Amino acid sequence: MITLLDYGAGNVRSVINAVERLGGSLKLVTRPEDILSADKLIFPGVGNYESMIQILNQKNYIEPLREYLSADRPFFGICLGMQALFQGSEESVSSNESLGFFKGRVARFKTDLAVPHMGWNGINIKQKSPLLSGVDSDARFYFVHSYHLVPEDPSVILTTTTYDYEFVSAVQKGNVMGTQFHPEKSGRVGLQLLENFIGTKDLHAAGPTSIQGAGLAKRVIACLDVRSNDDGDLVVTKGDQYDVRDKGNVRNLGQPVDLAKRYYEEGADEITFLNITGFRDFPLKDMPMLKVLEETSKNVFVPLTIGGGIRDYTDSNGQVYSALDVASQYFRSGADKISIGSDAVEVALAYIATGEKTGISAIEEISRVYGNQAVVISIDPKRVWVDSPGQAGRHHVVKPSEPGPDGKAYCWYQCTVQGGRETRDLDAVALATACQALGAGEILLNCIDKDGTNSGFDLDLINAVRAAVSIPVIASSGAGCEAHFSEVFEQTGAEAALAAGIFHRKEVPIQAVKAHLAQRGIAVRH
Ligand code: 1PR
């Protein structure tokens, strides 16, 4: 029996699903006594260190956890759950006590690379531990974090990982261990690691070793635009420049749960669902979408993002729901990240106008509770062509290699809301910058002009936004062949590339994209 410590934030459903997939039975900690009666304890943590430690203190979990750990009983901390084992974090400003089982602290990444460190990275193994049995040297795991461990005692280091510099990515002392990466989100190899923890009686490491691992991979993401068709069935659809109707009917390219499972099996590094009519239908009434997430997360062990309709909402009875309520429901149903489109534009406009953070916008509230890494901003810009940069006013202008209509040489990228139906006086670079300042952790950068055209990503747009922010950027819209992926990774700093149409229509399999990237010397996860 596995006992799971759920302190109420983040996506514990993924861990539950992974343990159940491995045939394990699971019990949740609901009282401090449950900790001491556990046979094996898993502590998954996502989000903010400070709020995690606060909750552990409020629930009186600190003392029983210390007692459990000091008796060398099997413990597996994931991400924040591992960080809690140390004496404190730069993320925490209060004097709340952490577990202090290991000496050392948790520090923020100091790098010019994008932070959070997000994606599939390798591990350099330093101890012969049964936890890592069956893990190949070229294995990659899913990381998502802005802070990393700085242990005082080098003998507790189980693995390190390189992100600009080498940092400690897993620790172990006796039966107590933890990983910065998320095994429950790391596909087959992650399940192997969890199985090792669950199924191995003696987990003690058998001495030092030195096995060099792989480096960070570029991510290939499959995107599923989901909406109800005219018969009321929830289907995966796909637009041409956001027009999802063909001869008047909503295109139906398959069932969301089936397609997500297919892409997971074919090697997608992440799956993104966009509930494209979420701006007009209240998502918490749209239970099928929550079901889609629940079902998908039972079979798909890579990160899931969900977007559409994340905003404050008042229903017909006057009941008020905050964007945080909507997001929380999505996280409980199996999402690892949420994506905000229309609401982010309105919030950014207000922030730019006043220069003040309200502290209650969707971006701020959700990132405060679930962490920046859980908040993606989906940008839906359209090109506006001008003769000269001066005609674009204060907007960020680029000079694309090909001129636009009527020979106009410059363009800026105007933000839209409601799936491109309305425009706002805001450009994509300004939106991305404002959202980062408000606490967003990643940018999903679409381009309406390119969407569904199979003509390649908009490299000018991606370069402009990438240069303006220090959070990861996902290039999206226009992928038509394998070479478009190498082009975007070779000519821009995008951390990930997303495609929809070519995968749905089976024109280019995900494996073919990855094989092509590997051939070009671009690191990918196989
Ligand atoms: O505004 O917070 O409710 O979120 C709505 C979300 O739905 C936004 O993320 C917005 O991008 C998305 N959306 C709204 N309408 C459409 C539409 O197509 N009519 N889909 C839409 C946008 C997503 C793209 C697409 C890529 C790749 N499509 O990410 O998947 O362009 O396509 P391709 O590879 O076939 O070129 P809110």
Side-chain angles (χ1 to χ4, degrees):
M1 170 74 78
I2 296 296
T3 302
L4 192 87
L5 200 158
D6 172 15
Y7 65 97
N11 179 7
V12 286
R13 173 149 296 279
S14 308
V15 180
I16 297 173
N17 287 338
V19 172
E20 285 178 349
R21 162 64 76 95
L22 294 167
S25 48
L26 213 126
K27 183 182 162 196
L28 293 182
V29 171
T30 54
R31 309 160 305 161
E33 305 86 271
D34 296 335
I35 292 171
L36 288 170
S37 62
D39 297 326
K40 288 196 172 184
L41 193 60
I42 299 183
F43 179 15
V46 190
N48 179 283
Y49 186 94
E50 169 109 17
S51 71
M52 168 189 68
I53 294 294
Q54 237 170 35
I55 299 170
L56 292 182
N57 277 283
Q58 275 159 11
K59 294 196 166 184
N60 295 320
Y61 287 170
I62 297 281
E63 277 317 314
L65 276 169
R66 283 185 177 152
E67 194 179 328
Y68 183 92
L69 294 165
S70 60
D72 192 30
R73 292 166 64 186
F75 177 97
F76 188 1
I78 299 173
C79 191
L80 274 189
M82 174 191 65
Q83 294 185 359
L85 292 169
F86 284 75
Q87 291 168 301
S89 170
E90 283 178 12
E91 198 180 3
S92 174
V93 288
S94 75
S95 55
N96 271 316
E97 273 200 80
S98 73
L99 296 172
F101 178 74
F102 289 120
K103 284 213 166 78
R105 298 187 66 77
V106 178
R108 191 174 164 84
F109 270 110
K110 291 179 185 62
T111 173
D112 291 335
L113 297 182
V115 176
H117 164 223
M118 197 182 285
W120 296 79
N121 208 336
I123 54 172
N124 309 310
I125 302 176
K126 307 289 183 188
Q127 292 190 53
K128 290 181 215 140
S129 169
L131 184 71
L132 301 175
S133 165
V135 172
D136 295 335
S137 61
D138 63 350
R140 287 186 172 89
F141 293 86
Y142 188 75
F143 286 82
V144 51
H145 60 126
S146 303
Y147 295 80
H148 64 80
L149 300 177
V150 187
E152 276 179 23
D153 174 5
S155 75
V156 304
I157 299 172
L158 175 59
T159 70
T160 63
T161 292
T162 302
Y163 188 60
D164 195 7
Y165 52 87
E166 202 173 347
F167 70 92
V168 176
S169 52
V171 285
Q172 178 169 3
K173 185 176 166 196
N175 280 315
V176 177
M177 57 209 74
T179 59
Q180 183 60 65
F181 49 87
H182 290 265
E184 77 285 8
K185 287 282 135 191
S186 297
R188 189 192 54 76
V189 69
L191 293 179
Q192 171 73 59
L193 198 137
L194 282 171
E195 189 171 12
N196 292 342
F197 177 74
I198 295 169
T200 310
K201 220 167 174 178
D202 182 3
L203 284 156
H204 287 78
T209 184
S210 181
I211 300 170
Q212 191 67 25
L216 183 68
K218 293 287 186 182
R219 287 173 280 155
V220 176
I221 301 176
C223 182
L224 290 79
D225 290 354
V226 178
R227 61 161 288 170
S228 295
N229 66 8
D230 300 315
D231 300 324
D233 303 322
L234 204 65
V235 296
V236 174
T237 189
K238 182 69 209 76
D240 288 330
Q241 301 182 319
Y242 285 32
D243 180 0
V244 298
R245 288 185 183 270
D246 184 22
K247 301 192 185 91
N249 298 317
V250 172
R251 285 191 193 93
N252 179 351
L253 294 168
Q255 297 307 306
V257 178
D258 297 347
L259 272 187
K261 184 161 179 269
R262 186 183 116 204
Y263 296 142
Y264 167 63
E265 284 163 359
E266 289 177 359
D269 296 317
E270 287 183 31
I271 309 280
T272 296
F273 289 109
L274 295 175
N275 181 1
I276 67 169
T277 50
F279 68 88
R280 61 169 181 242
D281 312 320
F282 180 48
L284 295 188
K285 289 253 158 61
D286 189 7
M287 299 315 272
M289 203 58 219
L290 299 177
K291 281 255 156 3
V292 163
L293 269 177
E294 276 167 23
E295 285 305 308
T296 302
S297 64
K298 282 184 193 155
N299 297 306
V300 171
F301 298 100
V302 295
L304 297 175
T305 302
I306 172 94
I310 297 177
R311 60 181 151 78
D312 299 339
Y313 184 86
T314 306
D315 73 10
S316 49
N317 303 321
Q319 168 89 33
V320 179
Y321 299 88
S322 69
L324 179 62
D325 294 332
V326 181
S328 299
Q329 191 61 41
Y330 278 146
F331 287 123
R332 272 194 292 277
S333 304
D336 301 287
K337 304 188 248 185
I338 55 87
S339 139
I340 309 177
S342 307
D343 191 64
V345 176
E346 312 297 2
V347 167
L349 278 169
Y351 171 57
I352 292 166
T354 62
E356 280 181 21
K357 297 178 184 173
T358 61
I360 55 165
S361 68
I363 301 173
E364 291 163 277
E365 285 210 308
I366 300 168
S367 62
R368 192 161 47 239
V369 177
Y370 291 97
N372 308 51
Q373 83 293 331
V375 180
V376 184
I377 305 300
S378 170
I379 307 186
D380 301 308
K382 265 185 192 160
R383 288 183 193 143
V384 179
W385 290 94
V386 288
D387 289 311
S388 68
Q391 285 179 357
R394 64 180 190 287
H395 298 302
H396 187 98
V397 182
V398 301
K399 188 174 187 210
S401 43
E402 301 274 322
D406 309 323
K408 290 188 187 337
Y410 298 89
C411 76
W412 63 281
Y413 292 89
Q414 182 167 30
C415 294
T416 67
V417 295
Q418 304 190 358
R421 286 167 182 79
E422 290 181 19
T423 56
R424 293 288 184 270
D425 186 23
L426 180 69
D427 67 73
V429 172
L431 174 62
T433 314
C435 290
Q436 172 175 311
L438 290 165
E442 193 173 34
I443 303 290
L444 164 49
L445 188 53
N446 305 296
C447 177
I448 296 183
D449 306 81
K450 284 285 191 174
D451 175 64
T453 62
N454 287 14
S455 62
F457 296 95
D458 189 323
L459 305 178
D460 298 303
L461 168 66
I462 297 159
N463 275 322
V465 171
R466 189 72 206 76
V469 295
S470 58
I471 53 179
V473 172
I474 302 168
S476 166
S477 303
C481 61
E482 292 92 324
H484 290 151
F485 288 84
S486 50
E487 192 176 74
V488 78
F489 289 134
E490 284 165 358
Q491 295 182 38
T492 79
E495 280 75 12
L498 171 152
I502 53 167
F503 296 151
H504 302 335
R505 295 187 298 267
K506 299 191 174 165
E507 289 162 8
V508 182
I510 292 170
Q511 294 100 322
V513 171
K514 292 204 167 176
H516 168 79
L517 290 172
Q519 210 176 35
R520 300 278 307 186
I522 298 167
V524 286
R525 176 185 73 107
H526 289 292

mmCIF file of all heavy atoms in Angstrom, residues 114 216-219 442-443 445 457-459 462-463 465-467 471-476 485 487-498 522:
data_model
loop_
_atom_site.group_PDB
_atom_site.id
_atom_site.type_symbol
_atom_site.label_atom_id
_atom_site.label_comp_id
_atom_site.label_asym_id
_atom_site.label_seq_id
_atom_site.Cartn_x
_atom_site.Cartn_y
_atom_site.Cartn_z
ATOM 1 N N ALA A 114 16.148 30.242 -20.328
ATOM 2 C CA ALA A 114 14.779 30.475 -19.854
ATOM 3 C C ALA A 114 14.576 29.827 -18.488
ATOM 4 O O ALA A 114 15.056 28.734 -18.217
ATOM 5 C CB ALA A 114 13.784 29.886 -20.848
ATOM 6 N N LEU A 216 19.343 18.501 -22.373
ATOM 7 C CA LEU A 216 17.961 18.971 -22.557
ATOM 8 C C LEU A 216 17.510 18.793 -24.011
ATOM 9 O O LEU A 216 18.250 19.118 -24.933
ATOM 10 C CB LEU A 216 17.877 20.463 -22.181
ATOM 11 C CG LEU A 216 16.488 21.091 -22.260
ATOM 12 C CD1 LEU A 216 15.552 20.544 -21.194
ATOM 13 C CD2 LEU A 216 16.581 22.619 -22.130
ATOM 14 N N ALA A 217 16.305 18.292 -24.180
ATOM 15 C CA ALA A 217 15.759 18.079 -25.528
ATOM 16 C C ALA A 217 14.809 19.209 -25.897
ATOM 17 O O ALA A 217 14.201 19.833 -25.030
ATOM 18 C CB ALA A 217 15.010 16.748 -25.554
ATOM 19 N N LYS A 218 14.686 19.465 -27.178
ATOM 20 C CA LYS A 218 13.631 20.353 -27.654
ATOM 21 C C LYS A 218 12.326 19.564 -27.606
ATOM 22 O O LYS A 218 12.305 18.358 -27.899
ATOM 23 C CB LYS A 218 13.919 20.813 -29.082
ATOM 24 C CG LYS A 218 15.147 21.712 -29.197
ATOM 25 C CD LYS A 218 14.887 23.089 -28.647
ATOM 26 C CE LYS A 218 16.072 24.019 -28.895
ATOM 27 N NZ LYS A 218 15.873 25.366 -28.328
ATOM 28 N N ARG A 219 11.250 20.232 -27.259
ATOM 29 C CA ARG A 219 9.970 19.534 -27.116
ATOM 30 C C ARG A 219 9.121 19.604 -28.391
ATOM 31 O O ARG A 219 9.070 20.658 -29.018
ATOM 32 C CB ARG A 219 9.153 20.173 -25.993
ATOM 33 C CG ARG A 219 9.652 19.885 -24.606
ATOM 34 C CD ARG A 219 8.880 20.692 -23.568
ATOM 35 N NE ARG A 219 9.339 22.046 -23.459
ATOM 36 C CZ ARG A 219 8.607 23.070 -23.022
ATOM 37 N NH1 ARG A 219 7.342 22.876 -22.689
ATOM 38 N NH2 ARG A 219 9.107 24.279 -22.926
ATOM 39 N N GLU A 442 5.147 30.484 -19.204
ATOM 40 C CA GLU A 442 5.442 29.988 -20.554
ATOM 41 C C GLU A 442 4.540 30.701 -21.557
ATOM 42 O O GLU A 442 3.430 31.109 -21.196
ATOM 43 C CB GLU A 442 5.199 28.474 -20.608
ATOM 44 C CG GLU A 442 5.758 27.796 -21.846
ATOM 45 C CD GLU A 442 5.660 26.264 -21.788
ATOM 46 O OE1 GLU A 442 4.680 25.753 -21.199
ATOM 47 O OE2 GLU A 442 6.563 25.604 -22.326
ATOM 48 N N ILE A 443 5.021 30.846 -22.783
ATOM 49 C CA ILE A 443 4.225 31.480 -23.841
ATOM 50 C C ILE A 443 3.938 30.454 -24.929
ATOM 51 O O ILE A 443 4.868 29.813 -25.447
ATOM 52 C CB ILE A 443 5.002 32.671 -24.480
ATOM 53 C CG1 ILE A 443 5.392 33.720 -23.430
ATOM 54 C CG2 ILE A 443 4.210 33.275 -25.632
ATOM 55 C CD1 ILE A 443 4.258 34.529 -22.846
ATOM 56 N N LEU A 445 2.866 30.536 -28.516
ATOM 57 C CA LEU A 445 2.813 31.621 -29.498
ATOM 58 C C LEU A 445 2.241 31.145 -30.825
ATOM 59 O O LEU A 445 2.931 30.552 -31.649
ATOM 60 C CB LEU A 445 4.236 32.173 -29.687
ATOM 61 C CG LEU A 445 4.387 33.426 -30.518
ATOM 62 C CD1 LEU A 445 3.488 34.551 -30.029
ATOM 63 C CD2 LEU A 445 5.845 33.880 -30.513
ATOM 64 N N PHE A 457 6.541 27.899 -39.571
ATOM 65 C CA PHE A 457 6.278 28.798 -38.435
ATOM 66 C C PHE A 457 6.641 30.233 -38.806
ATOM 67 O O PHE A 457 7.451 30.463 -39.712
ATOM 68 C CB PHE A 457 7.140 28.360 -37.235
ATOM 69 C CG PHE A 457 6.802 26.984 -36.707
ATOM 70 C CD1 PHE A 457 7.510 25.858 -37.119
ATOM 71 C CD2 PHE A 457 5.770 26.818 -35.800
ATOM 72 C CE1 PHE A 457 7.202 24.592 -36.638
ATOM 73 C CE2 PHE A 457 5.450 25.560 -35.298
ATOM 74 C CZ PHE A 457 6.167 24.441 -35.722
ATOM 75 N N ASP A 458 6.084 31.180 -38.082
ATOM 76 C CA ASP A 458 6.423 32.592 -38.314
ATOM 77 C C ASP A 458 7.685 32.924 -37.511
ATOM 78 O O ASP A 458 7.625 33.293 -36.333
ATOM 79 C CB ASP A 458 5.262 33.506 -37.904
ATOM 80 C CG ASP A 458 5.517 34.935 -38.342
ATOM 81 O OD1 ASP A 458 6.682 35.377 -38.284
ATOM 82 O OD2 ASP A 458 4.553 35.608 -38.739
ATOM 83 N N LEU A 459 8.835 32.789 -38.161
ATOM 84 C CA LEU A 459 10.115 32.915 -37.455
ATOM 85 C C LEU A 459 10.339 34.333 -36.930
ATOM 86 O O LEU A 459 10.928 34.528 -35.868
ATOM 87 C CB LEU A 459 11.263 32.491 -38.375
ATOM 88 C CG LEU A 459 11.124 31.087 -38.988
ATOM 89 C CD1 LEU A 459 12.292 30.797 -39.924
ATOM 90 C CD2 LEU A 459 11.029 30.001 -37.920
ATOM 91 N N ILE A 462 8.371 34.724 -33.725
ATOM 92 C CA ILE A 462 8.949 33.917 -32.632
ATOM 93 C C ILE A 462 10.232 34.577 -32.116
ATOM 94 O O ILE A 462 10.438 34.690 -30.911
ATOM 95 C CB ILE A 462 9.193 32.467 -33.121
ATOM 96 C CG1 ILE A 462 7.849 31.831 -33.493
ATOM 97 C CG2 ILE A 462 9.910 31.640 -32.050
ATOM 98 C CD1 ILE A 462 7.955 30.643 -34.421
ATOM 99 N N ASN A 463 11.059 35.054 -33.043
ATOM 100 C CA ASN A 463 12.302 35.717 -32.607
ATOM 101 C C ASN A 463 12.009 36.978 -31.807
ATOM 102 O O ASN A 463 12.671 37.263 -30.813
ATOM 103 C CB ASN A 463 13.182 36.045 -33.817
ATOM 104 C CG ASN A 463 14.044 34.845 -34.192
ATOM 105 O OD1 ASN A 463 14.536 34.127 -33.321
ATOM 106 N ND2 ASN A 463 14.209 34.609 -35.481
ATOM 107 N N VAL A 465 9.346 37.717 -29.953
ATOM 108 C CA VAL A 465 8.826 37.419 -28.605
ATOM 109 C C VAL A 465 9.916 36.745 -27.759
ATOM 110 O O VAL A 465 10.108 37.090 -26.595
ATOM 111 C CB VAL A 465 7.549 36.552 -28.689
ATOM 112 C CG1 VAL A 465 7.146 36.061 -27.309
ATOM 113 C CG2 VAL A 465 6.422 37.351 -29.323
ATOM 114 N N ARG A 466 10.654 35.831 -28.380
ATOM 115 C CA ARG A 466 11.692 35.114 -27.625
ATOM 116 C C ARG A 466 12.717 36.079 -27.037
ATOM 117 O O ARG A 466 13.210 35.914 -25.923
ATOM 118 C CB ARG A 466 12.399 34.093 -28.534
ATOM 119 C CG ARG A 466 13.328 33.175 -27.788
ATOM 120 C CD ARG A 466 12.500 32.194 -26.961
ATOM 121 N NE ARG A 466 13.181 31.667 -25.790
ATOM 122 C CZ ARG A 466 13.393 32.321 -24.646
ATOM 123 N NH1 ARG A 466 13.033 33.589 -24.472
ATOM 124 N NH2 ARG A 466 13.967 31.728 -23.640
ATOM 125 N N ALA A 467 13.037 37.116 -27.837
ATOM 126 C CA ALA A 467 14.055 38.076 -27.385
ATOM 127 C C ALA A 467 13.535 38.934 -26.236
ATOM 128 O O ALA A 467 14.315 39.484 -25.467
ATOM 129 C CB ALA A 467 14.466 38.972 -28.547
ATOM 130 N N ILE A 471 11.042 33.548 -20.185
ATOM 131 C CA ILE A 471 10.328 32.287 -19.912
ATOM 132 C C ILE A 471 10.275 31.487 -21.222
ATOM 133 O O ILE A 471 10.450 32.066 -22.301
ATOM 134 C CB ILE A 471 8.901 32.557 -19.356
ATOM 135 C CG1 ILE A 471 8.112 33.518 -20.265
ATOM 136 C CG2 ILE A 471 8.967 33.101 -17.945
ATOM 137 C CD1 ILE A 471 6.697 33.810 -19.797
ATOM 138 N N PRO A 472 10.049 30.179 -21.158
ATOM 139 C CA PRO A 472 10.056 29.382 -22.389
ATOM 140 C C PRO A 472 8.958 29.802 -23.368
ATOM 141 O O PRO A 472 7.879 30.242 -22.960
ATOM 142 C CB PRO A 472 9.812 27.953 -21.888
ATOM 143 C CG PRO A 472 10.141 27.968 -20.440
ATOM 144 C CD PRO A 472 9.864 29.343 -19.953
ATOM 145 N N VAL A 473 9.287 29.634 -24.652
ATOM 146 C CA VAL A 473 8.335 29.983 -25.718
ATOM 147 C C VAL A 473 8.067 28.729 -26.557
ATOM 148 O O VAL A 473 9.005 28.047 -26.980
ATOM 149 C CB VAL A 473 8.906 31.108 -26.615
ATOM 150 C CG1 VAL A 473 8.020 31.339 -27.837
ATOM 151 C CG2 VAL A 473 9.064 32.406 -25.813
ATOM 152 N N ILE A 474 6.782 28.452 -26.780
ATOM 153 C CA ILE A 474 6.380 27.347 -27.659
ATOM 154 C C ILE A 474 5.992 27.956 -29.001
ATOM 155 O O ILE A 474 5.064 28.773 -29.074
ATOM 156 C CB ILE A 474 5.151 26.601 -27.094
ATOM 157 C CG1 ILE A 474 5.442 26.055 -25.698
ATOM 158 C CG2 ILE A 474 4.712 25.496 -28.040
ATOM 159 C CD1 ILE A 474 4.172 25.570 -24.964
ATOM 160 N N ALA A 475 6.709 27.572 -30.058
ATOM 161 C CA ALA A 475 6.372 28.056 -31.402
ATOM 162 C C ALA A 475 5.161 27.277 -31.892
ATOM 163 O O ALA A 475 5.116 26.053 -31.769
ATOM 164 C CB ALA A 475 7.545 27.833 -32.329
ATOM 165 N N SER A 476 4.190 27.976 -32.450
ATOM 166 C CA SER A 476 2.976 27.301 -32.922
ATOM 167 C C SER A 476 2.477 27.948 -34.205
ATOM 168 O O SER A 476 2.715 29.131 -34.440
ATOM 169 C CB SER A 476 1.899 27.399 -31.840
ATOM 170 O OG SER A 476 0.634 27.048 -32.356
ATOM 171 N N PHE A 485 10.252 22.067 -38.444
ATOM 172 C CA PHE A 485 10.643 21.958 -37.024
ATOM 173 C C PHE A 485 12.131 22.261 -36.865
ATOM 174 O O PHE A 485 12.535 22.957 -35.934
ATOM 175 C CB PHE A 485 10.307 20.562 -36.480
ATOM 176 C CG PHE A 485 8.829 20.343 -36.302
ATOM 177 C CD1 PHE A 485 8.039 19.933 -37.363
ATOM 178 C CD2 PHE A 485 8.230 20.559 -35.069
ATOM 179 C CE1 PHE A 485 6.676 19.745 -37.202
ATOM 180 C CE2 PHE A 485 6.869 20.366 -34.900
ATOM 181 C CZ PHE A 485 6.084 19.963 -35.972
ATOM 182 N N GLU A 487 13.862 24.054 -38.847
ATOM 183 C CA GLU A 487 13.990 25.495 -39.144
ATOM 184 C C GLU A 487 13.701 26.336 -37.894
ATOM 185 O O GLU A 487 14.452 27.239 -37.547
ATOM 186 C CB GLU A 487 12.966 25.815 -40.232
ATOM 187 C CG GLU A 487 13.089 27.150 -40.886
ATOM 188 C CD GLU A 487 12.047 27.249 -42.008
ATOM 189 O OE1 GLU A 487 10.835 27.407 -41.700
ATOM 190 O OE2 GLU A 487 12.436 27.169 -43.167
ATOM 191 N N VAL A 488 12.610 26.010 -37.208
ATOM 192 C CA VAL A 488 12.241 26.846 -36.057
ATOM 193 C C VAL A 488 13.257 26.699 -34.924
ATOM 194 O O VAL A 488 13.575 27.677 -34.247
ATOM 195 C CB VAL A 488 10.788 26.592 -35.594
ATOM 196 C CG1 VAL A 488 10.649 25.313 -34.769
ATOM 197 C CG2 VAL A 488 10.273 27.769 -34.792
ATOM 198 N N PHE A 489 13.806 25.497 -34.745
ATOM 199 C CA PHE A 489 14.793 25.332 -33.671
ATOM 200 C C PHE A 489 16.164 25.894 -34.054
ATOM 201 O O PHE A 489 16.921 26.330 -33.198
ATOM 202 C CB PHE A 489 14.907 23.860 -33.265
ATOM 203 C CG PHE A 489 13.680 23.357 -32.524
ATOM 204 C CD1 PHE A 489 13.101 22.139 -32.852
ATOM 205 C CD2 PHE A 489 13.121 24.103 -31.496
ATOM 206 C CE1 PHE A 489 11.976 21.667 -32.166
ATOM 207 C CE2 PHE A 489 12.000 23.647 -30.806
ATOM 208 C CZ PHE A 489 11.429 22.433 -31.148
ATOM 209 N N GLU A 490 16.479 25.860 -35.344
ATOM 210 C CA GLU A 490 17.789 26.386 -35.759
ATOM 211 C C GLU A 490 17.791 27.909 -35.881
ATOM 212 O O GLU A 490 18.794 28.563 -35.672
ATOM 213 C CB GLU A 490 18.207 25.747 -37.089
ATOM 214 C CG GLU A 490 18.694 24.318 -36.900
ATOM 215 C CD GLU A 490 18.779 23.512 -38.198
ATOM 216 O OE1 GLU A 490 18.433 24.034 -39.270
ATOM 217 O OE2 GLU A 490 19.198 22.344 -38.120
ATOM 218 N N GLN A 491 16.628 28.463 -36.211
ATOM 219 C CA GLN A 491 16.625 29.910 -36.500
ATOM 220 C C GLN A 491 15.971 30.768 -35.420
ATOM 221 O O GLN A 491 15.903 31.981 -35.555
ATOM 222 C CB GLN A 491 15.942 30.146 -37.852
ATOM 223 C CG GLN A 491 16.738 29.537 -38.991
ATOM 224 C CD GLN A 491 16.114 29.804 -40.338
ATOM 225 O OE1 GLN A 491 15.583 30.867 -40.590
ATOM 226 N NE2 GLN A 491 16.169 28.810 -41.209
ATOM 227 N N THR A 492 15.428 30.127 -34.388
ATOM 228 C CA THR A 492 14.874 30.896 -33.267
ATOM 229 C C THR A 492 15.310 30.206 -31.971
ATOM 230 O O THR A 492 15.802 29.082 -31.996
ATOM 231 C CB THR A 492 13.325 30.946 -33.264
ATOM 232 O OG1 THR A 492 12.826 29.714 -32.733
ATOM 233 C CG2 THR A 492 12.736 31.179 -34.647
ATOM 234 N N GLY A 493 15.055 30.851 -30.872
ATOM 235 C CA GLY A 493 15.400 30.246 -29.578
ATOM 236 C C GLY A 493 14.222 29.526 -28.942
ATOM 237 O O GLY A 493 14.252 29.267 -27.728
ATOM 238 N N ALA A 494 13.188 29.184 -29.721
ATOM 239 C CA ALA A 494 12.012 28.513 -29.139
ATOM 240 C C ALA A 494 12.423 27.230 -28.429
ATOM 241 O O ALA A 494 13.270 26.484 -28.929
ATOM 242 C CB ALA A 494 10.986 28.199 -30.222
ATOM 243 N N GLU A 495 11.817 26.988 -27.277
ATOM 244 C CA GLU A 495 12.134 25.792 -26.501
ATOM 245 C C GLU A 495 11.309 24.585 -26.962
ATOM 246 O O GLU A 495 11.649 23.444 -26.678
ATOM 247 C CB GLU A 495 11.847 26.031 -25.007
ATOM 248 C CG GLU A 495 12.931 26.791 -24.266
ATOM 249 C CD GLU A 495 12.966 28.276 -24.559
ATOM 250 O OE1 GLU A 495 12.004 28.793 -25.181
ATOM 251 O OE2 GLU A 495 13.947 28.934 -24.185
ATOM 252 N N ALA A 496 10.194 24.871 -27.637
ATOM 253 C CA ALA A 496 9.282 23.793 -28.034
ATOM 254 C C ALA A 496 8.564 24.205 -29.313
ATOM 255 O O ALA A 496 8.448 25.400 -29.598
ATOM 256 C CB ALA A 496 8.259 23.550 -26.920
ATOM 257 N N ALA A 497 8.110 23.209 -30.068
ATOM 258 C CA ALA A 497 7.319 23.514 -31.260
ATOM 259 C C ALA A 497 6.059 22.668 -31.228
ATOM 260 O O ALA A 497 6.103 21.479 -30.877
ATOM 261 C CB ALA A 497 8.119 23.235 -32.517
ATOM 262 N N LEU A 498 4.962 23.293 -31.579
ATOM 263 C CA LEU A 498 3.642 22.647 -31.476
ATOM 264 C C LEU A 498 3.021 22.564 -32.860
ATOM 265 O O LEU A 498 3.171 23.472 -33.679
ATOM 266 C CB LEU A 498 2.786 23.496 -30.544
ATOM 267 C CG LEU A 498 1.298 23.218 -30.383
ATOM 268 C CD1 LEU A 498 0.848 23.658 -28.988
ATOM 269 C CD2 LEU A 498 0.447 23.929 -31.439
ATOM 270 N N ILE A 522 19.744 18.051 -33.500
ATOM 271 C CA ILE A 522 18.939 18.734 -32.474
ATOM 272 C C ILE A 522 18.465 17.673 -31.480
ATOM 273 O O ILE A 522 17.875 16.658 -31.884
ATOM 274 C CB ILE A 522 17.733 19.463 -33.120
ATOM 275 C CG1 ILE A 522 18.258 20.536 -34.081
ATOM 276 C CG2 ILE A 522 16.803 20.070 -32.064
ATOM 277 C CD1 ILE A 522 17.214 21.128 -35.008
#
